[in-house]
Amino acid sequence: MKPALFLRIASVLTMIHCILHTIGGVLSSPKHGSEELAVVETMKAHTFNVMGSMRSYWDFFFGYGLGVTITLLIQSLLFWQLATMCKTNAAWTRPIVLLFLFNFVAMSVVVWRYLFIAPAITELLIAACLAAAYFTAAATA
């Protein structure tokens, strides 16, 4: 198989990850009962000065969630563009693919340890596609 196909698969998986993260992690409301709602309200209620700006733990939680959404969206688009580029010069894309491979492996470990299994598996699947693109790009170079 050609590296472009693996990069396109990685792109689609990353876009799915982005959409599901946005729907489930950023835009959804708590659904686990009154205890979770109380935690969210507490996160929103207590503000503190951070480098001259008043922020709450909810601001950080929500802001980082939006940051992940934006990052996944950009990565998805980048993988699609790399797939196009590797058709003419696969060797040129290898260092970039390798960096993102390391990123997704490391993130899957963090997500597995501190969050939950579904996004960790998704990130491992993306990492597998990136590894396949990296090694098949070497074969075509």
Side-chain angles (χ1 to χ4, degrees), residues 13-119:
L13 286 173
T14 306
M15 184 60 75
I16 291 168
H17 191 23
C18 174
I19 291 167
L20 293 178
H21 175 269
T22 304
I23 292 169
V26 177
L27 300 178
S28 69
S29 299
K31 294 176 178 50
H32 294 86
S34 60
E35 295 87 7
E36 185 178 0
L37 187 58
V39 169
V40 170
E41 291 306 316
T42 302
M43 289 172 68
K44 290 178 179 180
H46 297 292
T47 60
F48 45 95
N49 188 324
V50 180
M51 294 188 230
S53 298
M54 294 303 291
R55 297 289 179 253
S56 67
Y57 278 109
W58 179 257
D59 292 330
F60 285 105
F61 180 80
F62 190 75
Y64 282 125
L66 287 174
V68 169
T69 290
I70 293 165
T71 299
L72 289 169
L73 174 64
I74 297 303
Q75 288 173 347
S76 174
L77 298 173
L78 177 66
F79 296 156
W80 196 269
Q81 290 176 339
L82 284 173
T84 302
M85 292 173 157
C86 81
K87 290 178 182 180
T88 58
N89 191 352
W92 183 85
T93 63
R94 291 184 82 227
I96 299 167
V97 171
L98 186 62
L99 285 173
F100 281 101
L101 169 60
F102 288 144
N103 173 75
F104 275 92
V105 168
M107 285 303 298
S108 68
V109 171
V110 170
V111 168
W112 188 290
R113 170 66 177 92
Y114 295 103
L115 299 172
F116 51 99
I117 194 168

